[in-house]
Amino acid sequence: MTAVRRTVDAVWKLESARIIAGLTRLVRDVGLAEEFAQDALVAALEQWPSAGVPDNPGAWLMTIAKRRAIDHIRRSQLLDRKREELARDLDEQPDREPDDVLRLMFVSCHPVLPTAARVALTLRLIGGLTAAEIGRAFLTTEARITQRIAAAKQTLAEQRVPFELPAGPELAARLSSVLEVIYLVFNEGYAASAGADLIRADLCLEALRLGRQLAELAPDEPEVHGLVALMEIQASRSAARTGPSGEPVQLHEQNRARWDQLLIRRGFTAMLRARDLGRPPGPYVLQAAIAVCHAQARTAAETDWTQIAALYGALARQLPTPVVQLNRAVAVGLAAGPQAGLDLVDSLLSDPVLQNYHLLPGVRGDLLAKLDRPAEARREFERAAELAANSAERDFLRRRAAQLPAEPIGRTLGQVAGEFLRRDDLDAQTLRSYAQTLKRLRLTLGENLPLAEVTPDRIAQTFATAWGSAAARTWNRHRSAVRSFGAFADLPDLAGTLDRRTEPSTTRPTVDLAELWARDLPLRERVLWRLLADSAAGPGSVLGLNVEDLDLAERRAWTGTTWITWRSETAPLLTELVAGRERGPVFLADRRRGPGRPPMAADVCPHTGRTRLSYERAEYLFKQATGHTLSALRPR
Amino acid sequence: MRFLMTALADDAKPDEKLFTEMAKFIDEMTAAGILLATGGLEPGGVRLTSAGDEITVTDGPFAEAREAVAGFALIEVRSREEAIELGRRFRAIVGDGVSVIQQVYGPQG
């Protein structure tokens, strides 16, 4: 950009909101108004480099834009007299009225528009940013922003959104939409300000300017001043919130000398303006009041946590989001002691929204550490580290865990789950499914929870939070995984409090058993398939059977975790298959194993030297015979 | 980014019109969220000079009065060009004289 271009750009950003707002009042269409304003900008780019920047560039731009608007009316399809009347009328209208920009804000933040469109349009019309600048700030393309803005203008025209100040009951809702857009822009910038991307961090300044402007335009609205106070005070900490290598620094560890006192003062002033209006505080005023409490404390230790906890209590009543509740618990923990905080945090454990939120176990860990329960605290920090998405935070949480003493806790959930999933008697699909269930248990309960503390109550709570609203089939799948895990880990009642849910009729493929049994089948296949059809046992368990497990007289076999039973028609066939063998696998492979990796001793028949029939081979044989997988044999 | 705009002292006596226009300008800059702080400075003031271990305190007025700063405005803007444009508007109001614009590095970076 040349120097003149940069000057034109600076002037444009200072003036465009007023020009577009004034034009919108005249032509009653945001899209048209912006077009005329752009025409004026083009004229400035043509003329200013040689003629110089005029003394009053805002008025210059407005004059050009207004002339374009009048030309537009003169060229329109209206009757001559009507056209002249409109053009003269427009020419006589004042360039500016005090409420123009405020009206434009209400239009660009109108609830008929999607949030992303409101943000883009507001930055464009009020902030004077180009589509390219907005695209860079929101990590998207210029084309997409241009499209978004065009669509927004069209919606505003189609819905005939008036260029008026909302009044009465509508005002509160419309104003809160404007505040939401501004705070969203601020947070986008604030989140980015830790990184190197200055364009994104500049959004904080845009939001602050929008907020400050709004506070002058709507001085009787306490929430506007509340938002401004909140943003000023948050912005005051921006230099202190990252360490030398870009790592986040928590509020209580920040160097308060690096807080910008000027912005803090401005925040206090805005807060006083809100308070002077004497109305009950809304969410922005309450959040600002919390920020004020922090800003007033000269050291972290001087923070008035009792006041902050009370403010969060009031905020949670108006804005009962899980994150507000969690912040409240932190404040209560500092005001009334860690046990009070922990009680509140524990009441949030069953909230599905928070189940993957790393700060929940992070806060719990902190409170547990203060309660001198280091083992549990360590587990919570480890769990928080697992859930944290940001590597700086993950490292921080791991360090906190490592600072706490490790205790001899015997076998842990993570260890036993690992062993359970390394079993070789389960098919790959079952293992995958079990792994899913256990992953959730490990994330929610912690990798290092002692096995003895894996209780049915904890399982029930995890289930309610994670799968309480899932389909019955999903619930049952996880339930059976937990039952299987419980049996494996010797915790037989693990799924004791979980009811099996009724599933809607499934579309599992069926096999015509009568037809199958009527076929001329090899004895081994016939026995295997009958056993699977007779009992509810899975192929893994049945293939894992050994001759010594069989109780042929009682028609049952013990798999180590459960009984398998069969019908009387199957009994003689099984006796025939065993054929006097006393030990070793019931179902044997066709051939002896060749050289290569030696099989486990338990998988070799001592009588014949043949190995156990593999799961893959068994599936293959059934697929060849019927086109289905063995699961189709399972009785329902 | 922040800029400190300072106006150097001059001999002109401000009149009523200038006060009104200045007040309007300040209001506008405040309403636009640009002006963070502003003020006028006493002529002279106190000068502190350190040399070695010694610090000398001298009361004004001083000989080079025309180099002294008479007023300042701390502004928060998007770019240097924006600061310059605002400086131009300020100079258009106050008439002949000199202003200096310098970027402020500070807690905000």
Side-chain angles (χ1 to χ4, degrees):
Chain A
M1 239 194 283
T2 64
V4 179
R5 247 208 110 106
R6 279 202 298 273
T7 302
V8 176
D9 184 61
V11 170
W12 173 253
K13 283 191 165 67
L14 287 170
E15 300 295 337
S16 67
R18 274 196 302 239
I19 294 171
I20 294 171
L23 288 167
T24 309
R25 173 168 45 79
L26 299 178
V27 300
R28 302 277 149 180
D29 181 307
V30 173
L32 271 180
E34 210 213 343
E35 240 173 73
F36 301 141
Q38 287 290 332
D39 287 347
L41 176 63
V42 170
L45 283 168
E46 284 165 6
Q47 298 179 29
W48 294 2
S50 51
V53 179
D55 285 344
N56 191 340
W60 190 96
L61 288 165
M62 186 66 188
T63 306
I64 301 275
K66 208 167 160 184
R67 205 174 296 150
R68 298 291 153 103
I70 292 168
D71 290 348
H72 176 82
I73 289 176
R74 294 223 162 98
R75 282 197 312 271
S76 69
Q77 302 291 316
L78 294 169
L79 291 169
D80 285 354
R81 236 187 43 205
K82 182 81 179 160
R83 262 190 335 226
E84 269 319 302
E85 202 178 304
L86 271 174
R88 214 176 29 248
D89 192 40
L90 196 148
D91 201 24
E92 284 162 9
Q93 290 287 321
D95 287 358
R96 278 190 198 183
E97 273 188 10
D99 283 338
D100 284 348
V101 175
L102 183 59
R103 288 170 197 230
L104 189 59
M105 278 194 197
F106 276 115
V107 170
S108 70
C109 297
H110 199 281
V112 295
L113 303 173
T115 307
R118 289 182 221 171
V119 168
L121 197 61
T122 302
L123 287 173
R124 169 85 173 161
L125 298 181
I126 315 287
L129 270 60
T130 64
E133 286 168 328
I134 300 169
R136 240 179 308 157
F138 283 88
L139 308 177
T140 178
T141 60
E142 177 179 358
R144 183 157 295 166
I145 296 293
T146 306
Q147 214 172 41
R148 200 175 283 170
I149 290 172
K153 285 180 195 158
Q154 197 179 345
T155 306
L156 290 172
E158 282 167 5
Q159 304 274 332
R160 299 181 182 282
V161 169
F163 188 70
E164 277 162 16
L165 293 180
E170 204 200 343
L171 176 66
R174 295 282 302 276
L175 186 66
S176 97
S177 172
V178 177
L179 298 176
E180 186 198 349
V181 167
I182 296 176
Y183 198 38
L184 220 141
V185 171
F186 182 83
N187 277 320
E188 187 74 24
Y190 203 57
S193 64
D197 202 338
L198 289 176
I199 293 278
R200 281 167 57 65
D202 276 353
L203 286 175
C204 281
L205 176 60
E206 286 308 329
L208 269 170
R209 268 164 85 148
L210 288 171
R212 290 167 185 165
Q213 256 176 291
L214 184 60
E216 295 303 319
L217 295 169
D220 296 333
E221 296 298 329
E223 281 289 89
V224 175
H225 300 299
L227 173 63
V228 171
L230 178 62
M231 293 192 298
E232 301 271 16
I233 296 177
Q234 283 187 339
S236 80
R237 302 181 202 133
S238 57
R241 58 197 274 275
T242 39
S245 42
E247 75 280 11
V249 180
Q250 291 189 310
L251 187 59
H252 68 275
E253 287 174 339
Q254 288 175 9
N255 176 359
R256 291 176 188 225
R258 300 189 72 201
W259 287 1
D260 186 332
Q261 291 301 323
L262 180 65
L263 292 184
I264 291 179
R265 293 283 138 215
R266 292 182 64 93
F268 288 178
T269 308
M271 198 57 190
L272 287 175
R273 289 178 78 181
R275 195 174 301 165
D276 285 347
L277 291 165
R279 277 187 266 158
Y284 287 110
V285 170
L286 287 169
Q287 290 176 80
I290 292 165
V292 166
C293 281
H294 287 299
Q296 279 173 332
R298 276 175 303 166
T299 64
E302 280 177 41
T303 310
D304 184 353
W305 286 108
T306 310
Q307 173 74 358
I308 292 176
L311 289 166
Y312 268 120
L315 183 60
R317 278 192 291 280
Q318 294 187 22
L319 211 67
T321 66
V323 175
V324 169
Q325 306 272 19
L326 185 61
N327 283 326
R328 180 178 167 225
V330 173
V332 168
L334 288 158
Q339 187 59 55
L342 188 64
D343 292 345
L344 265 178
V345 172
D346 285 352
S347 72
L348 299 173
L349 287 175
S350 55
D351 195 322
V353 176
L354 289 174
Q355 67 169 331
N356 288 323
Y357 188 49
H358 66 283
L359 289 182
L360 180 60
V363 167
R364 267 198 103 227
D366 203 49
L367 293 164
L368 287 164
K370 285 181 182 150
L371 287 167
D372 206 18
R373 288 158 68 178
E376 291 161 90
R378 189 183 164 108
R379 284 203 304 272
E380 286 299 83
F381 285 131
E382 285 163 347
R383 203 157 74 75
E386 285 298 310
L387 291 168
N390 171 315
S391 66
E393 269 184 298
R394 195 156 47 232
D395 293 347
F396 169 76
L397 289 161
R398 290 220 174 99
R399 274 200 305 280
R400 289 215 62 183
Q403 281 159 7
L404 292 161
E407 38 145 24
I409 42 178
R411 280 149 58 81
T412 63
L413 171 60
Q415 280 169 358
V416 180
E419 288 165 24
F420 176 68
L421 295 174
R422 279 194 297 275
R423 280 165 61 167
D424 53 8
D425 58 342
L426 293 175
D427 61 275
Q429 202 186 342
T430 309
L431 272 179
R432 259 199 309 280
S433 159
Y434 284 4
Q436 263 183 18
T437 311
L438 285 162
K439 183 174 178 204
R440 173 41 62 200
L441 294 185
R442 290 155 92 165
L443 280 175
T444 302
L445 300 174
E447 199 61 0
N448 291 330
L449 184 70
L451 196 60
E453 289 179 38
V454 182
T455 58
D457 278 356
R458 282 197 156 128
I459 295 288
Q461 196 181 38
T462 307
F463 264 66
T465 309
W467 302 301
S469 52
R473 205 173 143 199
T474 308
W475 171 276
N476 289 340
R477 178 163 61 81
H478 292 299
R479 176 178 171 272
S480 60
V482 162
R483 281 168 55 121
S484 175
F485 175 69
F488 177 85
D490 229 2
L491 300 165
D493 288 334
L494 216 47
T497 54
L498 303 174
D499 290 330
R500 193 179 160 76
R501 292 188 174 175
T502 317
E503 297 181 18
S505 63
T506 60
T507 52
R508 191 146 61 93
T510 51
V511 175
D512 183 353
L513 290 178
E515 185 272 331
L516 186 63
W517 304 149
R519 291 198 212 169
D520 185 17
L521 297 169
L523 178 63
R524 180 189 62 186
E525 274 80 320
R526 184 179 290 274
V527 174
L528 173 63
W529 298 350
R530 288 202 75 114
L531 269 182
L532 289 169
D534 288 353
S535 69
S541 319
V542 174
L543 286 167
L545 283 177
N546 290 321
V547 177
E548 57 269 35
D549 299 329
L550 302 176
D551 185 344
L552 291 172
E554 294 290 340
R555 300 207 312 267
R556 62 180 192 174
W558 177 246
T559 64
T561 51
T562 177
W563 288 99
I564 292 179
T565 57
W566 52 88
R567 297 178 191 223
S568 53
E569 298 96 304
T570 309
L573 297 166
L574 184 56
T575 310
E576 194 185 333
L577 180 70
V578 170
R581 287 184 285 146
E582 286 170 13
R583 291 173 51 239
V586 173
F587 299 97
L588 295 171
D590 296 310
R591 275 168 294 185
R592 282 161 172 270
R593 221 187 147 79
R597 202 162 60 94
M600 307 254 290
D603 288 333
V604 181
C605 171
H607 306 276
T608 62
R610 283 155 61 185
T611 54
R612 188 184 301 278
L613 178 64
S614 73
Y615 176 76
E616 286 74 10
R617 179 77 186 153
E619 278 288 14
Y620 171 76
L621 291 168
F622 190 67
K623 188 101 185 175
Q624 289 292 306
T626 66
H628 294 297
T629 63
L630 287 168
S631 62
L633 283 169
R634 186 181 287 223
R636 35 203 86 216
Chain B
M1 43 182 101
R2 284 184 186 169
F3 288 86
L4 184 69
M5 188 154 63
T6 45
L8 304 189
D10 53 48
D11 305 326
K13 286 269 175 287
D15 60 5
E16 196 62 30
K17 180 168 165 284
L18 191 144
F19 275 122
T20 324
E21 278 186 41
M22 256 332 273
K24 188 165 161 269
F25 182 57
I26 288 173
D27 281 353
E28 260 181 38
M29 294 237 288
T30 307
I34 293 169
L35 186 64
L36 297 181
T38 183
L41 305 180
E42 64 167 312
V46 176
R47 179 174 289 176
L48 286 87
T49 320
S50 54
D53 291 339
E54 200 161 327
I55 296 171
T56 319
V57 179
T58 328
D59 282 329
F62 306 103
E64 61 281 21
R66 290 196 64 90
E67 297 294 308
V69 174
F72 76 94
L74 183 64
I75 55 174
E76 192 161 46
V77 291
R78 300 181 181 93
S79 62
R80 183 174 292 270
E81 286 74 20
E82 227 174 80
I84 296 170
E85 174 58 27
L86 294 168
R88 278 167 41 90
R89 293 181 192 186
F90 170 76
R91 292 293 352 156
I93 295 169
V94 295
D96 297 352
V98 178
S99 279
V100 177
I101 295 175
Q102 290 160 289
Q103 188 171 352
V104 177
Y105 306 111
Q108 289 298 293

